[in-house]
Amino acid sequence: MMERKELVGDERTAPSPEVLEKPVRRQFAVEYKAKILAEADACTEPGQLGELLRREGLYSSHLSSWRKQRDAGVLAGLAPRRRGRKAKPKNPLGDENERLRRENQRLKEQLRRAELIIDVQKKVSEMLNIPLTTPNDDEAD
């Protein structure tokens, strides 16, 4: 971080020229936000709010966004929020659809095998001249 040197007389020193590789976003604790909002709400005279913002190194947009969060009644509204894409809500029927899709595929494969076996049985019965009976033929007898 940058080091600050104290001023001695008229001698002014420059801040450290060290530049961070990646800028770091400031994060404020919930307690700090609540304290600053309470102080800002207590400001009554002209210039007090500006003095508070300069003293704390804040922008007026901080106060407005923190007030919106507070007024929304969200308890965690003052806590820092995660950035980036939000997770998509899971489709409640998705698991059942996937299960039914797998079962359908399994049954199709089972049907294909049964039809193959039936075809082989027909060919064998034709080769051996054995007549095949169907369930309808058995009921007629």
Side-chain angles (χ1 to χ4, degrees):
M1 283 188 69
M2 295 175 45
E3 297 177 6
R4 292 188 178 192
K5 296 185 180 180
E6 294 182 11
L7 297 178
V8 179
D10 288 338
E11 179 184 334
R12 294 179 184 246
T13 58
S16 172
E18 177 185 341
V19 177
L20 299 175
E21 253 184 66
K22 182 179 178 188
V24 178
R25 181 178 288 266
R26 292 190 297 176
Q27 295 183 351
F28 302 100
V30 175
E31 297 82 18
Y32 176 76
K33 291 178 183 181
K35 182 186 95 164
I36 295 298
L37 284 176
E39 286 182 36
D41 291 341
C43 293
T44 56
E45 296 187 22
Q48 281 185 331
L49 188 59
E51 181 183 335
L52 171 68
L53 293 174
R54 283 190 300 276
R55 183 184 73 220
E56 298 296 328
L58 299 172
Y59 297 101
S60 60
S61 61
H62 285 121
L63 292 180
S64 61
S65 66
W66 295 349
R67 282 181 179 137
K68 285 179 187 175
Q69 291 172 348
R70 180 187 63 189
D71 294 343
V74 180
L75 296 177
L78 292 175
R81 295 190 336 207
R82 293 185 60 112
R83 296 179 59 195
R85 289 187 178 171
K86 307 300 181 249
K88 290 184 179 179
K90 190 169 183 174
N91 183 0
L93 300 177
D95 292 339
E96 184 178 0
N97 284 344
E98 184 59 33
R99 181 186 61 80
L100 291 172
R101 194 174 293 119
R102 284 192 311 264
E103 182 180 358
N104 191 7
Q105 188 65 31
R106 181 182 57 82
L107 291 174
K108 282 181 181 178
E109 179 62 24
Q110 200 173 18
L111 176 62
R112 188 190 64 78
R113 286 184 198 151
E115 288 175 344
L116 184 64
I117 291 172
I118 291 171
D119 287 342
V120 169
Q121 287 176 342
K122 285 180 183 177
K123 289 179 183 176
V124 168
S125 69
E126 285 176 7
M127 289 170 47
L128 299 176
N129 289 330
I130 302 174
L132 288 177
T133 59
T134 59
N136 294 337
D137 293 342
D138 291 339
E139 290 176 5
D141 289 339

